[in-house]
Amino acid sequence: MEFDKEKVDEMTLALLYLVMFDQEYGFSAWKGFDWDTMNRLHEKGYIGNPKSKAKSVVVTPEGRKKAEELFKKYFMPDSGK
């Protein structure tokens, strides 16, 4: 099946914002998403390497910022209306 991987990556990153939590070394998120998508997010520098037995993945500062922006873009009511 053909699909827009960039859009999938954006939506996944936005949804990671929902399951993100703060730890002493930075932010992490639960990683219950498609492996190929998680690997692309890792290659883009938004998350740490998802290939581990851990149930969460480290989110980079850039990834956290982008995730918040995308979450607000796609899921928050438009405050300008």
Side-chain angles (χ1 to χ4, degrees), residues 12-62:
T12 302
L13 191 57
L15 290 172
L16 282 174
Y17 187 74
L18 275 178
V19 295
M20 212 175 282
F21 53 96
D22 193 5
Q23 294 190 324
E24 63 185 69
Y25 56 83
F27 284 86
S28 291
W30 301 115
K31 62 177 187 181
F33 294 97
D34 171 70
W35 285 108
D36 290 335
T37 304
M38 296 298 282
N39 285 330
R40 286 193 304 272
L41 293 177
H42 171 63
E43 290 170 1
K44 292 175 181 178
Y46 294 135
I47 63 172
N49 192 343
K51 293 181 182 178
S52 73
K53 292 185 180 188
K55 294 181 181 181
S56 64
V57 65
V58 172
V59 180
T60 66
E62 297 82 11

Side-chain angles (χ1 to χ4, degrees), residues 3-18 20 33 36-38 40-42 44 46-47 63-75:
F3 61 91
D4 187 332
K5 292 178 182 167
E6 188 61 35
K7 286 182 183 177
V8 170
D9 292 355
E10 281 192 1
M11 288 298 200
T12 302
L13 191 57
L15 290 172
L16 282 174
Y17 187 74
L18 275 178
M20 212 175 282
F33 294 97
D36 290 335
T37 304
M38 296 298 282
R40 286 193 304 272
L41 293 177
H42 171 63
K44 292 175 181 178
Y46 294 135
I47 63 172
R64 184 183 182 287
K65 180 179 177 186
K66 184 72 171 178
E68 183 176 7
E69 289 171 8
L70 291 169
F71 184 84
K72 288 177 179 178
K73 174 182 174 181
Y74 290 117
F75 302 116

